[in-house]
Amino acid sequence: MSVTEINFDGLIGPSHNYAGLSLGNLASARNAGAASQPRAAALQGIEKMRGNIRLGLKQGIFLPQWRPDGAWLTRLGTDVGAAEPHIRAAAMSASSMWAANAATVSPAADTLDGRTHLTVANLVTMAHRSHEWPQTLAQLRIAFSDDRAFAVHDPVPPPFGDEGAANHMRLTERHDLPGVEVFVYGQSGGPFPARQHVEASKAVARIHGLDPAKALFVQQSEEAIAAGAFHNDVVAVANERVLFTHELAFADKARFYTDLRAALPCVEIVEVPASAVSLSDAIRSYLFNAQLVTLPDGGMALILPTEAQDTPAVWTWLQQMVAGNGPIRRLVPVDVRQSMANGGGPACLRLRIVADPATIDPRFLVDEAKLEAIAGIVSNYWPESIAPEDLSDTRLIARIEQSWLALVDHLQLSGDLAP
């Protein structure tokens, strides 16, 4: 068995739009009402995946969801033509593109039964995301259907909100070795809701069969949530032995750091001081919503949005960091501006899974040739632009549906994923 980390990116869907549905997501609110560019957005995401492959990383993909979600509208007693604008927009949301919210993943090395466990996130805090999980679960159960290697679980029941890997970090000496899993939860306070409930995090740890001594439950700081860090991955990211974090990310960082060092003595904590990079700059640039990855040569790289280059305090600090002797040695800026405008950076777009690629349905794994073919479908079918008022246009809806069908048919998944 050859176990490695695979990044599964969510392909940005043809209904990608800026309806401003996500309370607490400053970029989403700031761009509400603007025209989106679904085709450009998806092509940007594909280019990011290509870049990862060229770095020597393994790459997977998750498909956009069928939109509009007519089944959800039916349960609300309406349909896409009659629904109120905010309900119609929620039914058309392409937010499943942010695969970091798809599920929480515990690799086989951490679990009692020696299988990789995935629990699909319920996303109950936000209406436009709360109806994603059934279609997400369907893809997970196809991609990870080998029950000798994987266990795929239903979501934690409401009212306990679970936002998936966006509030979960794993630290370990090496990906294939047992590690420490860090579950970050919030408490209500300030102008924005805390989305991750501690009881959901505890439930996932129990369901996955984690060693209690290797599962830490850490509170996100209310200051960070109030500043717009609606998920922990906006202010912290981990990879193997490295925790890269903002000084103000956690409510009690001293206790967290002590517990983490006790559980994983080899851990290296790279903390960005607020005096160098403010919370505001960190959140606006999505400095921490970066992919921190281990390269084939063993060094670590930070795949981060080009907005980090555009924020002087952030870029200055990053250049000083890589010039030193720390574990992060390379900066790889990527253009995902369409995703960033709706509140999701490079790390939001991917779900990390440590597994043997041979145990995964190959239809969900990609190389450059496969991405080139998908890019061709995007270029031919995805709408060029969507304004909020377009969401009731039957011609646009028909095109979105046709786009999804063309993609699913190309990937030979039409028999498995019913609209």
Side-chain angles (χ1 to χ4, degrees):
M1 177 181 291
S2 178
V3 172
T4 189
E5 181 180 78
I6 308 166
N7 288 283
F8 284 80
D9 278 42
L11 179 64
I12 299 173
S15 68
H16 169 63
N17 69 91
Y18 299 146
L21 299 172
S22 189
L23 179 63
N25 185 325
L26 301 184
S28 172
R30 185 168 56 247
N31 291 292
S36 65
Q37 296 177 291
R39 186 184 306 163
L43 292 174
Q44 286 173 1
I46 290 169
E47 189 59 32
K48 179 175 88 75
M49 289 186 258
R50 281 197 187 106
N52 285 358
I53 292 169
R54 291 167 185 168
L55 288 172
L57 305 176
K58 297 291 185 182
Q59 185 66 51
I61 195 168
F62 290 136
L63 278 61
Q65 297 194 356
W66 175 262
R67 292 293 181 263
D69 189 343
W72 183 67
L73 290 170
T74 297
R75 292 196 298 273
L76 291 172
T78 188
D79 58 40
V80 69
E84 297 170 89
H86 67 286
I87 296 296
R88 181 187 302 114
M92 293 282 278
S93 170
S95 55
S96 66
M97 64 196 238
W98 292 307
N101 297 119
T104 303
V105 183
S106 295
D110 295 354
T111 67
L112 185 63
D113 67 2
R115 295 186 294 171
T116 295
H117 286 249
L118 303 92
T119 294
V120 67
N122 62 33
L123 300 170
V124 296
T125 307
M126 297 288 159
H128 68 291
R129 306 214 64 179
S130 65
H131 58 97
E132 288 178 15
W133 72 261
Q135 292 189 54
T136 300
L137 183 60
Q139 290 196 48
L140 295 179
R141 286 192 165 149
I142 298 167
F144 309 106
S145 61
D146 184 345
D147 58 13
R148 298 165 299 178
F150 301 102
V152 179
H153 303 283
D154 289 344
V156 173
F160 306 120
D162 180 24
E163 299 279 313
N167 284 308
H168 174 263
M169 299 182 291
R170 179 176 187 260
L171 293 111
T172 177
E173 188 173 355
R174 202 177 66 214
H175 285 311
D176 60 339
L177 296 178
V180 177
E181 300 200 18
V182 180
F183 296 82
V184 183
Y185 64 92
Q187 297 283 5
S188 295
F192 304 130
R195 302 190 187 186
Q196 184 71 29
H197 199 289
V198 66
E199 295 300 339
S201 296
K202 290 178 180 178
V204 171
R206 290 191 296 266
I207 291 165
H208 289 192
L210 301 183
D211 179 352
K214 298 293 186 178
L216 303 182
F217 302 94
V218 180
Q219 184 180 338
Q220 188 177 3
S221 76
E222 292 186 12
E223 186 176 359
I225 296 173
F230 51 98
H231 292 136
N232 172 69
D233 67 3
V234 179
V235 285
V237 61
N239 179 61
E240 292 193 324
R241 69 188 187 281
V242 176
L243 171 65
F244 181 53
T245 180
H246 193 273
E247 178 185 7
L248 303 177
F250 306 105
D252 187 350
K253 71 169 186 178
R255 179 180 176 184
F256 170 39
Y257 292 175
T258 297
D259 291 346
L260 182 56
R261 289 184 174 116
L264 188 72
C266 68
V267 69
E268 295 184 55
I269 299 173
V270 180
E271 184 184 87
V272 181
S275 60
V277 176
S278 67
L279 265 179
S280 176
D281 278 350
I283 292 167
R284 182 170 60 252
S285 67
Y286 270 34
L287 161 62
F288 297 97
N289 197 251
Q291 291 181 245
L292 182 57
V293 298
T294 302
L295 300 173
D297 65 5
M300 290 195 191
L302 199 63
I303 302 167
L304 71 172
T306 51
E307 283 79 355
Q309 290 178 300
D310 301 335
T311 309
V314 169
W315 197 243
T316 297
W317 195 91
L318 285 169
Q319 289 180 310
Q320 292 171 348
M321 177 187 70
V322 297
N325 294 318
I328 304 172
R329 309 301 302 154
R330 184 173 176 184
L331 305 176
V332 184
V334 296
D335 180 5
V336 287
R337 292 186 184 275
Q338 279 289 310
S339 177
M340 286 285 289
N342 222 0
C348 282
L349 287 164
R350 64 91 176 95
L351 183 69
R352 311 166 78 164
I353 297 178
V354 175
D356 180 354
T359 63
I360 297 168
D361 189 311
R363 292 174 292 182
F364 290 87
L365 299 174
V366 294
D367 55 19
E368 288 206 56
K370 195 168 183 178
L371 287 175
E372 184 66 24
I374 293 172
I377 293 170
V378 167
S379 296
N380 288 330
Y381 288 93
W382 263 233
E384 184 174 356
S385 178
I386 297 179
E389 60 270 20
D390 296 335
L391 295 179
S392 60
D393 188 329
T394 56
R395 292 168 300 179
L396 173 66
I397 292 169
R399 181 167 187 177
I400 289 169
E401 293 175 345
Q402 183 184 25
S403 300
W404 187 89
L405 290 168
L407 175 68
V408 173
D409 185 60
H410 171 76
L411 294 176
Q412 300 182 334
L413 282 160
S414 55
D416 299 292
L417 293 174

